[in-house]
Every structure is written in C-alpha cells, then in structure tokens.
Amino acid sequence: VGYPCQHLGLPATTNRGIKLVSLDNIEKVRAKIEQNLDDLERILRWNAAHGVGLFRIGQHLIPFASHPDFPYDWQHQHGSRLHELGFLARQLDQRLSLHPGQFINPGSPDDDVVARSLAELNYTVQLLDLLQCEDGVLVLHLGGAYGDRPATMCRFVEVLREHQAICRYLALEVDERVWTVAEVVEAATALGVGAIVDTLHHRLNPGGLSLREAVDLARPTWKHRPKMHVSSQDPDKQAGAHAFFIDPADWRMLISVLDGRPADIMVEA
C-alpha cells in the first residue's frame, strides 16, 4: 500500500514547482529541486518505518525538466543524489512510480502535442533510470478520443511502440470519462505493458464490467506485481474528484475482489 506525491503529516512534498517565468533563475530552480529531493528521502524513511512500501514521486520533482528552456543539465547536476535515493529506496523495499498529467497525450492528432508529450515521458524515464527503479512504474491515461476512438488508440499504440524505453516502465490507467478497462487493456496488451484499475474511475466508467471482472481482465497484463488505485468520490465536487479519505466500503470492495491475490495498491486520497 502507498500514496502519491506528498505527506501532509511530516509535512513533506516531492512536487514543488516554479513558474515558467522563473526558469532562468538557476539558483531558485536548483533550490526547489534540492528541497524536493530532500523531502523524498524523508518520505522514504518514514514509509519504511511505518510499513508503507509504495510511493508515487511528484511529476515536478525536477520542475520543467522537459522544457527546452530548462537552464542546466539536471541529470549531471542531480544524478548522484538520485542514485543515492534510488539505492535507499531499494534498501527500504520501496516501489516508486510517477504519473505524468492530463496534458500528456501521445495519441493526439496534433504533432506538437505528441512531441511535448514524448519529451515529458522521456524525462520521466530518465528519472526512473537514474533512480535505477527496476520495478518502477510510469502511469499514464490514454487521453482524449478526439472523435475517433479506433484511430486514436491506433495512434497512441503506434507512437509509443517506437519508444521501448518508455514502454519499459509504462502502465496504462483507466479514466472516469473516456476509456474503459477493456479498452485500456487492449492498448496495454498491444504495447506489452500493465493496465491499472482505479476503483472510482471504474465505477464512473465501468464499460459493462463489475469491479471483479475489471480486475480479472487487467491482472494478466502485468509482468511484475500488479498495481491498482483505490479512491473515493468527493461528495462536494464533480464526479471523478477524489476525496481526502477512502470510504471504507470502497476499500472493502477492492480487498474482496482481490480475494487474497497480491497487488500494490495506491491510495489516491
């Protein structure tokens, strides 16, 4: 079991960002990154001491790393520290992941969007490589359907099939509006990567499948221990917005459908 990006109780976060207009301020950029890396160490140590074995690093660990105007060679500057943190994570038996945001759409019909998406995905791969995360996971949604689901899925698969370094870490997650578990599993199978079921997303976009059927369909796509997400609806927000806490009924349902089978569960709350 694990959680994403920050620990409000410490407090600590791996997701400090900067404004794009500040990107030329090298000392400010470097300071933010060093704070993120220091907090990653604090979180890893806290997790190990409290029986938490899964953590999603914030996508802004190195803010704007994929931007063409990033002011220095971040891999050279921070590589040794990332090696240290990866070694620590392995010593403490921590499985790490990242989750690029909603604007990363390799299936887009816009070539510029695809290029920017690949740049962000390659940054994520470089980060996982420097951390030496053999079982690390790069979580991604399929994105929009752009009015033609078959053509979009075909584009998505064809683009990423050419980037095996990305596919090495890639796992595809169901979303709450567009792509069902069956469709995500189809794309994941075509790419040879894992498919992730999210309990809230699936409830809103079930595609005719029960949660048990969705889990049973997704599990065989995994070469490593399967990864899943549990989340609950925030009652005061639009459908799909995650609550700050997990409804016990959602947790019990997921544990029931797993039926004792091993899985890494990301608590998205």
Side-chain angles (χ1 to χ4, degrees):
V1 176
Y3 59 96
C5 300
Q6 61 183 335
H7 188 308
L8 297 176
L10 282 174
T13 180
T14 59
N15 216 24
R16 291 179 184 86
I18 57 170
K19 294 180 180 179
L20 184 56
V21 295
S22 300
L23 198 56
D24 61 351
N25 186 336
I26 293 178
E27 292 309 313
K28 183 175 183 178
V29 173
R30 186 179 289 118
K32 288 284 186 183
I33 293 169
E34 288 173 354
Q35 286 179 299
N36 283 339
L37 297 176
D38 287 346
D39 272 5
L40 176 56
E41 179 174 352
R42 294 176 64 211
I43 287 169
L44 292 175
R45 293 188 182 282
W46 187 95
N47 286 355
H50 292 83
V52 177
L54 189 66
F55 183 68
R56 180 191 300 159
I57 298 170
Q59 191 65 21
H60 300 301
L61 187 74
I62 314 290
F64 288 111
S66 67
H67 195 280
D69 293 333
F70 193 85
Y72 61 88
D73 183 345
W74 67 268
Q75 294 181 74
H76 176 77
Q77 181 73 33
H78 304 289
S80 295
R81 180 69 167 131
L82 287 164
H83 277 303
E84 291 173 3
L85 290 168
F87 179 73
L88 177 65
R90 293 190 299 279
Q91 277 192 316
L92 299 177
D93 198 22
Q94 299 281 302
R95 189 181 190 187
L96 302 177
S97 63
L98 287 103
H99 191 347
Q102 60 180 328
F103 299 111
I104 306 307
N105 291 301
S108 171
D110 186 321
D111 290 343
D112 288 340
V113 172
V114 173
R116 289 195 297 272
S117 297
L118 290 173
E120 185 68 11
L121 293 172
N122 281 318
Y123 145 67
T124 309
V125 167
Q126 291 159 358
L127 200 53
L128 289 167
D129 281 347
L130 286 168
L131 289 163
Q132 298 179 313
C133 295
E134 290 298 322
D135 61 351
V137 182
L138 190 172
V139 181
L140 188 65
H141 293 290
L142 266 70
Y146 302 103
D148 189 336
R149 304 172 81 83
T152 298
M153 185 183 291
C154 184
R155 257 193 327 268
F156 185 96
V157 170
E158 286 181 353
V159 166
L160 289 178
R161 198 175 263 153
E162 298 299 316
H163 297 271
Q164 287 304 304
I166 295 172
C167 291
R168 176 187 171 195
Y169 297 111
L170 185 65
L172 303 180
E173 180 188 359
V174 65
D175 65 76
E176 74 275 20
R177 294 184 303 106
V178 183
W179 302 98
T180 65
V181 167
E183 291 169 315
V184 168
V185 166
E186 181 182 348
T189 301
L191 289 168
V193 304
I196 295 175
V197 176
D198 179 292
T199 58
L200 176 59
H201 294 172
H202 179 68
R203 180 188 300 161
L204 296 171
N205 186 21
L209 298 179
S210 68
L211 181 60
R212 182 180 293 275
E213 289 169 332
V215 169
D216 289 347
L217 187 63
R219 282 185 66 87
T221 62
W222 286 89
K223 299 180 182 71
H224 299 292
R225 193 166 57 251
K227 202 167 174 292
M228 301 186 63
H229 295 171
V230 61
S231 56
S232 298
Q233 175 64 45
D234 188 323
D236 299 321
K237 295 183 180 179
Q238 67 180 13
H242 292 184
F244 280 105
F245 300 94
I246 299 299
D247 185 325
D250 292 329
W251 178 260
R252 287 194 296 268
M253 175 63 78
L254 178 57
I255 297 303
S256 172
V257 302
L258 282 173
D259 197 24
R261 294 173 292 180
D264 284 346
I265 303 174
M266 181 65 72
V267 177
E268 293 200 327

mmCIF file of all heavy atoms in Angstrom, residues 55-89:
data_model
loop_
_atom_site.group_PDB
_atom_site.id
_atom_site.type_symbol
_atom_site.label_atom_id
_atom_site.label_comp_id
_atom_site.label_asym_id
_atom_site.label_seq_id
_atom_site.Cartn_x
_atom_site.Cartn_y
_atom_site.Cartn_z
ATOM 1 N N PHE A 55 5.321 4.338 -3.213
ATOM 2 C CA PHE A 55 5.238 5.803 -3.230
ATOM 3 C C PHE A 55 5.308 6.322 -4.655
ATOM 4 O O PHE A 55 6.127 5.855 -5.449
ATOM 5 C CB PHE A 55 6.374 6.437 -2.414
ATOM 6 C CG PHE A 55 6.279 7.945 -2.356
ATOM 7 C CD1 PHE A 55 5.244 8.550 -1.666
ATOM 8 C CD2 PHE A 55 7.213 8.750 -3.004
ATOM 9 C CE1 PHE A 55 5.138 9.940 -1.632
ATOM 10 C CE2 PHE A 55 7.106 10.127 -2.972
ATOM 11 C CZ PHE A 55 6.066 10.729 -2.276
ATOM 12 N N ARG A 56 4.416 7.280 -4.958
ATOM 13 C CA ARG A 56 4.456 7.945 -6.252
ATOM 14 C C ARG A 56 5.154 9.296 -6.093
ATOM 15 O O ARG A 56 4.684 10.174 -5.369
ATOM 16 C CB ARG A 56 3.058 8.175 -6.813
ATOM 17 C CG ARG A 56 3.097 8.870 -8.188
ATOM 18 C CD ARG A 56 1.721 9.344 -8.623
ATOM 19 N NE ARG A 56 0.820 8.222 -8.725
ATOM 20 C CZ ARG A 56 -0.514 8.342 -8.681
ATOM 21 N NH1 ARG A 56 -1.065 9.526 -8.502
ATOM 22 N NH2 ARG A 56 -1.270 7.277 -8.797
ATOM 23 N N ILE A 57 6.263 9.451 -6.780
ATOM 24 C CA ILE A 57 7.013 10.711 -6.773
ATOM 25 C C ILE A 57 6.243 11.759 -7.564
ATOM 26 O O ILE A 57 5.653 11.468 -8.609
ATOM 27 C CB ILE A 57 8.404 10.494 -7.395
ATOM 28 C CG1 ILE A 57 9.203 9.477 -6.576
ATOM 29 C CG2 ILE A 57 9.162 11.805 -7.518
ATOM 30 C CD1 ILE A 57 10.474 9.023 -7.255
ATOM 31 N N GLY A 58 6.259 12.994 -7.100
ATOM 32 C CA GLY A 58 5.611 14.077 -7.825
ATOM 33 C C GLY A 58 6.254 14.301 -9.186
ATOM 34 O O GLY A 58 7.484 14.261 -9.316
ATOM 35 N N GLN A 59 5.425 14.554 -10.189
ATOM 36 C CA GLN A 59 5.938 14.750 -11.546
ATOM 37 C C GLN A 59 6.840 15.965 -11.643
ATOM 38 O O GLN A 59 7.689 16.059 -12.523
ATOM 39 C CB GLN A 59 4.767 14.865 -12.528
ATOM 40 C CG GLN A 59 5.150 14.815 -13.989
ATOM 41 C CD GLN A 59 5.731 13.476 -14.416
ATOM 42 O OE1 GLN A 59 5.518 12.460 -13.765
ATOM 43 N NE2 GLN A 59 6.468 13.470 -15.529
ATOM 44 N N HIS A 60 6.690 16.919 -10.698
ATOM 45 C CA HIS A 60 7.512 18.122 -10.703
ATOM 46 C C HIS A 60 8.735 17.986 -9.802
ATOM 47 O O HIS A 60 9.254 18.994 -9.307
ATOM 48 C CB HIS A 60 6.679 19.333 -10.277
ATOM 49 C CG HIS A 60 5.516 19.607 -11.175
ATOM 50 N ND1 HIS A 60 5.669 19.869 -12.516
ATOM 51 C CD2 HIS A 60 4.183 19.641 -10.935
ATOM 52 C CE1 HIS A 60 4.484 20.063 -13.066
ATOM 53 N NE2 HIS A 60 3.564 19.927 -12.124
ATOM 54 N N LEU A 61 9.192 16.768 -9.590
ATOM 55 C CA LEU A 61 10.423 16.584 -8.807
ATOM 56 C C LEU A 61 11.534 17.447 -9.398
ATOM 57 O O LEU A 61 12.281 18.108 -8.673
ATOM 58 C CB LEU A 61 10.842 15.113 -8.826
ATOM 59 C CG LEU A 61 12.005 14.751 -7.911
ATOM 60 C CD1 LEU A 61 11.562 14.720 -6.450
ATOM 61 C CD2 LEU A 61 12.607 13.398 -8.295
ATOM 62 N N ILE A 62 11.644 17.429 -10.718
ATOM 63 C CA ILE A 62 12.538 18.330 -11.448
ATOM 64 C C ILE A 62 11.622 19.211 -12.300
ATOM 65 O O ILE A 62 11.299 18.867 -13.441
ATOM 66 C CB ILE A 62 13.528 17.567 -12.363
ATOM 67 C CG1 ILE A 62 14.173 16.391 -11.632
ATOM 68 C CG2 ILE A 62 14.570 18.531 -12.929
ATOM 69 C CD1 ILE A 62 15.145 16.763 -10.550
ATOM 70 N N PRO A 63 11.135 20.336 -11.768
ATOM 71 C CA PRO A 63 10.109 21.104 -12.485
ATOM 72 C C PRO A 63 10.595 21.627 -13.837
ATOM 73 O O PRO A 63 11.707 22.125 -13.955
ATOM 74 C CB PRO A 63 9.788 22.253 -11.518
ATOM 75 C CG PRO A 63 10.939 22.328 -10.579
ATOM 76 C CD PRO A 63 11.498 20.950 -10.491
ATOM 77 N N PHE A 64 9.748 21.448 -14.854
ATOM 78 C CA PHE A 64 10.028 21.888 -16.225
ATOM 79 C C PHE A 64 11.266 21.207 -16.825
ATOM 80 O O PHE A 64 11.898 21.743 -17.735
ATOM 81 C CB PHE A 64 10.192 23.413 -16.301
ATOM 82 C CG PHE A 64 8.910 24.168 -16.125
ATOM 83 C CD1 PHE A 64 8.685 24.932 -14.998
ATOM 84 C CD2 PHE A 64 7.928 24.108 -17.102
ATOM 85 C CE1 PHE A 64 7.496 25.630 -14.830
ATOM 86 C CE2 PHE A 64 6.737 24.803 -16.952
ATOM 87 C CZ PHE A 64 6.512 25.565 -15.807
ATOM 88 N N ALA A 65 11.584 20.011 -16.342
ATOM 89 C CA ALA A 65 12.769 19.319 -16.864
ATOM 90 C C ALA A 65 12.674 19.040 -18.359
ATOM 91 O O ALA A 65 13.693 19.011 -19.048
ATOM 92 C CB ALA A 65 12.986 18.015 -16.104
ATOM 93 N N SER A 66 11.461 18.848 -18.869
ATOM 94 C CA SER A 66 11.308 18.544 -20.295
ATOM 95 C C SER A 66 11.161 19.797 -21.156
ATOM 96 O O SER A 66 11.060 19.692 -22.384
ATOM 97 C CB SER A 66 10.078 17.648 -20.508
ATOM 98 O OG SER A 66 8.872 18.334 -20.201
ATOM 99 N N HIS A 67 11.180 20.954 -20.526
ATOM 100 C CA HIS A 67 11.028 22.209 -21.286
ATOM 101 C C HIS A 67 12.352 22.551 -21.985
ATOM 102 O O HIS A 67 13.427 22.407 -21.397
ATOM 103 C CB HIS A 67 10.629 23.354 -20.346
ATOM 104 C CG HIS A 67 10.111 24.558 -21.054
ATOM 105 N ND1 HIS A 67 10.946 25.484 -21.642
ATOM 106 C CD2 HIS A 67 8.847 24.995 -21.285
ATOM 107 C CE1 HIS A 67 10.224 26.439 -22.195
ATOM 108 N NE2 HIS A 67 8.941 26.163 -21.995
ATOM 109 N N PRO A 68 12.284 23.009 -23.225
ATOM 110 C CA PRO A 68 13.540 23.312 -23.946
ATOM 111 C C PRO A 68 14.366 24.406 -23.307
ATOM 112 O O PRO A 68 15.579 24.503 -23.573
ATOM 113 C CB PRO A 68 13.059 23.728 -25.345
ATOM 114 C CG PRO A 68 11.608 24.054 -25.196
ATOM 115 C CD PRO A 68 11.095 23.186 -24.090
ATOM 116 N N ASP A 69 13.759 25.233 -22.451
ATOM 117 C CA ASP A 69 14.494 26.324 -21.813
ATOM 118 C C ASP A 69 15.012 25.971 -20.425
ATOM 119 O O ASP A 69 15.476 26.868 -19.702
ATOM 120 C CB ASP A 69 13.616 27.580 -21.726
ATOM 121 C CG ASP A 69 13.298 28.165 -23.084
ATOM 122 O OD1 ASP A 69 14.110 27.973 -24.012
ATOM 123 O OD2 ASP A 69 12.239 28.800 -23.241
ATOM 124 N N PHE A 70 14.915 24.696 -20.031
ATOM 125 C CA PHE A 70 15.470 24.347 -18.718
ATOM 126 C C PHE A 70 16.938 24.763 -18.686
ATOM 127 O O PHE A 70 17.695 24.465 -19.618
ATOM 128 C CB PHE A 70 15.330 22.852 -18.444
ATOM 129 C CG PHE A 70 15.606 22.507 -17.009
ATOM 130 C CD1 PHE A 70 14.610 22.594 -16.054
ATOM 131 C CD2 PHE A 70 16.882 22.136 -16.607
ATOM 132 C CE1 PHE A 70 14.873 22.303 -14.718
ATOM 133 C CE2 PHE A 70 17.161 21.844 -15.276
ATOM 134 C CZ PHE A 70 16.153 21.936 -14.322
ATOM 135 N N PRO A 71 17.384 25.439 -17.598
ATOM 136 C CA PRO A 71 18.642 26.189 -17.670
ATOM 137 C C PRO A 71 19.938 25.402 -17.481
ATOM 138 O O PRO A 71 21.019 25.979 -17.654
ATOM 139 C CB PRO A 71 18.484 27.220 -16.548
ATOM 140 C CG PRO A 71 17.584 26.553 -15.549
ATOM 141 C CD PRO A 71 16.624 25.727 -16.358
ATOM 142 N N TYR A 72 19.881 24.129 -17.116
ATOM 143 C CA TYR A 72 21.141 23.406 -16.937
ATOM 144 C C TYR A 72 20.903 21.904 -17.100
ATOM 145 O O TYR A 72 19.771 21.438 -17.227
ATOM 146 C CB TYR A 72 21.776 23.716 -15.578
ATOM 147 C CG TYR A 72 20.959 23.336 -14.348
ATOM 148 C CD1 TYR A 72 21.052 22.066 -13.790
ATOM 149 C CD2 TYR A 72 20.125 24.270 -13.724
ATOM 150 C CE1 TYR A 72 20.328 21.725 -12.661
ATOM 151 C CE2 TYR A 72 19.391 23.938 -12.601
ATOM 152 C CZ TYR A 72 19.494 22.656 -12.076
ATOM 153 O OH TYR A 72 18.767 22.309 -10.962
ATOM 154 N N ASP A 73 21.986 21.146 -17.115
ATOM 155 C CA ASP A 73 21.931 19.695 -17.283
ATOM 156 C C ASP A 73 21.536 19.072 -15.941
ATOM 157 O O ASP A 73 22.383 18.780 -15.099
ATOM 158 C CB ASP A 73 23.301 19.184 -17.745
ATOM 159 C CG ASP A 73 23.314 17.688 -18.027
ATOM 160 O OD1 ASP A 73 22.380 16.985 -17.606
ATOM 161 O OD2 ASP A 73 24.287 17.223 -18.659
ATOM 162 N N TRP A 74 20.234 18.855 -15.757
ATOM 163 C CA TRP A 74 19.745 18.379 -14.459
ATOM 164 C C TRP A 74 20.215 16.952 -14.156
ATOM 165 O O TRP A 74 20.435 16.595 -12.993
ATOM 166 C CB TRP A 74 18.225 18.476 -14.381
ATOM 167 C CG TRP A 74 17.478 17.561 -15.302
ATOM 168 C CD1 TRP A 74 17.049 17.833 -16.567
ATOM 169 C CD2 TRP A 74 17.071 16.206 -15.030
ATOM 170 N NE1 TRP A 74 16.394 16.754 -17.111
ATOM 171 C CE2 TRP A 74 16.389 15.737 -16.184
ATOM 172 C CE3 TRP A 74 17.204 15.356 -13.941
ATOM 173 C CZ2 TRP A 74 15.856 14.458 -16.269
ATOM 174 C CZ3 TRP A 74 16.677 14.065 -14.019
ATOM 175 C CH2 TRP A 74 16.004 13.635 -15.175
ATOM 176 N N GLN A 75 20.400 16.148 -15.196
ATOM 177 C CA GLN A 75 20.857 14.774 -14.953
ATOM 178 C C GLN A 75 22.278 14.759 -14.386
ATOM 179 O O GLN A 75 22.590 13.984 -13.477
ATOM 180 C CB GLN A 75 20.797 13.973 -16.249
ATOM 181 C CG GLN A 75 19.375 13.767 -16.764
ATOM 182 C CD GLN A 75 19.358 12.953 -18.030
ATOM 183 O OE1 GLN A 75 19.569 11.737 -18.005
ATOM 184 N NE2 GLN A 75 19.120 13.592 -19.161
ATOM 185 N N HIS A 76 23.126 15.621 -14.922
ATOM 186 C CA HIS A 76 24.500 15.719 -14.409
ATOM 187 C C HIS A 76 24.506 16.334 -13.010
ATOM 188 O O HIS A 76 25.203 15.837 -12.108
ATOM 189 C CB HIS A 76 25.345 16.545 -15.365
ATOM 190 C CG HIS A 76 26.744 16.785 -14.872
ATOM 191 N ND1 HIS A 76 27.726 15.817 -14.928
ATOM 192 C CD2 HIS A 76 27.304 17.891 -14.299
ATOM 193 C CE1 HIS A 76 28.836 16.297 -14.399
ATOM 194 N NE2 HIS A 76 28.614 17.543 -14.018
ATOM 195 N N GLN A 77 23.727 17.391 -12.832
ATOM 196 C CA GLN A 77 23.736 18.132 -11.570
ATOM 197 C C GLN A 77 23.171 17.311 -10.415
ATOM 198 O O GLN A 77 23.692 17.352 -9.291
ATOM 199 C CB GLN A 77 22.917 19.423 -11.721
ATOM 200 C CG GLN A 77 22.866 20.300 -10.477
ATOM 201 C CD GLN A 77 24.175 21.012 -10.234
ATOM 202 O OE1 GLN A 77 24.869 21.370 -11.175
ATOM 203 N NE2 GLN A 77 24.513 21.221 -8.979
ATOM 204 N N HIS A 78 22.104 16.572 -10.689
ATOM 205 C CA HIS A 78 21.390 15.873 -9.606
ATOM 206 C C HIS A 78 21.481 14.348 -9.714
ATOM 207 O O HIS A 78 20.868 13.640 -8.909
ATOM 208 C CB HIS A 78 19.915 16.298 -9.603
ATOM 209 C CG HIS A 78 19.713 17.776 -9.477
ATOM 210 N ND1 HIS A 78 19.971 18.464 -8.306
ATOM 211 C CD2 HIS A 78 19.296 18.699 -10.380
ATOM 212 C CE1 HIS A 78 19.709 19.751 -8.496
ATOM 213 N NE2 HIS A 78 19.307 19.929 -9.737
ATOM 214 N N GLY A 79 22.247 13.855 -10.671
ATOM 215 C CA GLY A 79 22.324 12.420 -10.893
ATOM 216 C C GLY A 79 22.822 11.630 -9.701
ATOM 217 O O GLY A 79 22.255 10.583 -9.353
ATOM 218 N N SER A 80 23.881 12.117 -9.053
ATOM 219 C CA SER A 80 24.442 11.389 -7.908
ATOM 220 C C SER A 80 23.433 11.295 -6.769
ATOM 221 O O SER A 80 23.285 10.240 -6.133
ATOM 222 C CB SER A 80 25.715 12.074 -7.417
ATOM 223 O OG SER A 80 26.724 12.002 -8.396
ATOM 224 N N ARG A 81 22.725 12.392 -6.528
ATOM 225 C CA ARG A 81 21.716 12.394 -5.452
ATOM 226 C C ARG A 81 20.572 11.436 -5.797
ATOM 227 O O ARG A 81 20.068 10.715 -4.926
ATOM 228 C CB ARG A 81 21.180 13.816 -5.274
ATOM 229 C CG ARG A 81 20.121 13.966 -4.191
ATOM 230 C CD ARG A 81 20.703 13.774 -2.814
ATOM 231 N NE ARG A 81 19.777 14.208 -1.790
ATOM 232 C CZ ARG A 81 19.451 13.473 -0.722
ATOM 233 N NH1 ARG A 81 20.002 12.283 -0.550
ATOM 234 N NH2 ARG A 81 18.612 13.930 0.172
ATOM 235 N N LEU A 82 20.183 11.402 -7.059
ATOM 236 C CA LEU A 82 19.129 10.481 -7.475
ATOM 237 C C LEU A 82 19.588 9.031 -7.349
ATOM 238 O O LEU A 82 18.808 8.163 -6.927
ATOM 239 C CB LEU A 82 18.685 10.798 -8.903
ATOM 240 C CG LEU A 82 17.852 12.080 -9.047
ATOM 241 C CD1 LEU A 82 17.785 12.528 -10.501
ATOM 242 C CD2 LEU A 82 16.446 11.871 -8.485
ATOM 243 N N HIS A 83 20.833 8.756 -7.683
ATOM 244 C CA HIS A 83 21.388 7.407 -7.476
ATOM 245 C C HIS A 83 21.302 7.026 -6.000
ATOM 246 O O HIS A 83 20.903 5.897 -5.657
ATOM 247 C CB HIS A 83 22.844 7.342 -7.935
ATOM 248 C CG HIS A 83 23.013 7.128 -9.405
ATOM 249 N ND1 HIS A 83 22.480 6.049 -10.070
ATOM 250 C CD2 HIS A 83 23.676 7.854 -10.340
ATOM 251 C CE1 HIS A 83 22.798 6.113 -11.353
ATOM 252 N NE2 HIS A 83 23.520 7.201 -11.542
ATOM 253 N N GLU A 84 21.672 7.938 -5.119
ATOM 254 C CA GLU A 84 21.621 7.679 -3.676
ATOM 255 C C GLU A 84 20.198 7.372 -3.224
ATOM 256 O O GLU A 84 19.967 6.432 -2.441
ATOM 257 C CB GLU A 84 22.144 8.893 -2.903
ATOM 258 C CG GLU A 84 23.629 9.145 -3.044
ATOM 259 C CD GLU A 84 24.040 10.457 -2.385
ATOM 260 O OE1 GLU A 84 23.160 11.111 -1.774
ATOM 261 O OE2 GLU A 84 25.228 10.823 -2.481
ATOM 262 N N LEU A 85 19.237 8.174 -3.708
ATOM 263 C CA LEU A 85 17.851 7.988 -3.301
ATOM 264 C C LEU A 85 17.276 6.684 -3.846
ATOM 265 O O LEU A 85 16.497 6.003 -3.168
ATOM 266 C CB LEU A 85 17.007 9.181 -3.760
ATOM 267 C CG LEU A 85 17.300 10.489 -3.022
ATOM 268 C CD1 LEU A 85 16.641 11.665 -3.725
ATOM 269 C CD2 LEU A 85 16.836 10.401 -1.566
ATOM 270 N N GLY A 86 17.669 6.330 -5.062
ATOM 271 C CA GLY A 86 17.234 5.052 -5.609
ATOM 272 C C GLY A 86 17.783 3.876 -4.822
ATOM 273 O O GLY A 86 17.075 2.903 -4.554
ATOM 274 N N PHE A 87 19.062 3.982 -4.425
ATOM 275 C CA PHE A 87 19.676 2.936 -3.609
ATOM 276 C C PHE A 87 18.955 2.823 -2.272
ATOM 277 O O PHE A 87 18.673 1.712 -1.782
ATOM 278 C CB PHE A 87 21.153 3.241 -3.395
ATOM 279 C CG PHE A 87 21.872 2.226 -2.552
ATOM 280 C CD1 PHE A 87 22.171 0.971 -3.061
ATOM 281 C CD2 PHE A 87 22.255 2.526 -1.246
ATOM 282 C CE1 PHE A 87 22.833 0.021 -2.285
ATOM 283 C CE2 PHE A 87 22.918 1.589 -0.474
ATOM 284 C CZ PHE A 87 23.206 0.331 -0.986
ATOM 285 N N LEU A 88 18.629 3.973 -1.678
ATOM 286 C CA LEU A 88 17.895 3.977 -0.410
ATOM 287 C C LEU A 88 16.531 3.319 -0.580
ATOM 288 O O LEU A 88 16.115 2.509 0.267
ATOM 289 C CB LEU A 88 17.738 5.410 0.094
ATOM 290 C CG LEU A 88 16.925 5.588 1.385
ATOM 291 C CD1 LEU A 88 17.647 4.923 2.556
ATOM 292 C CD2 LEU A 88 16.692 7.070 1.674
ATOM 293 N N ALA A 89 15.831 3.667 -1.670
ATOM 294 C CA ALA A 89 14.508 3.082 -1.910
ATOM 295 C C ALA A 89 14.599 1.557 -2.010
ATOM 296 O O ALA A 89 13.755 0.831 -1.466
ATOM 297 C CB ALA A 89 13.901 3.665 -3.176
#
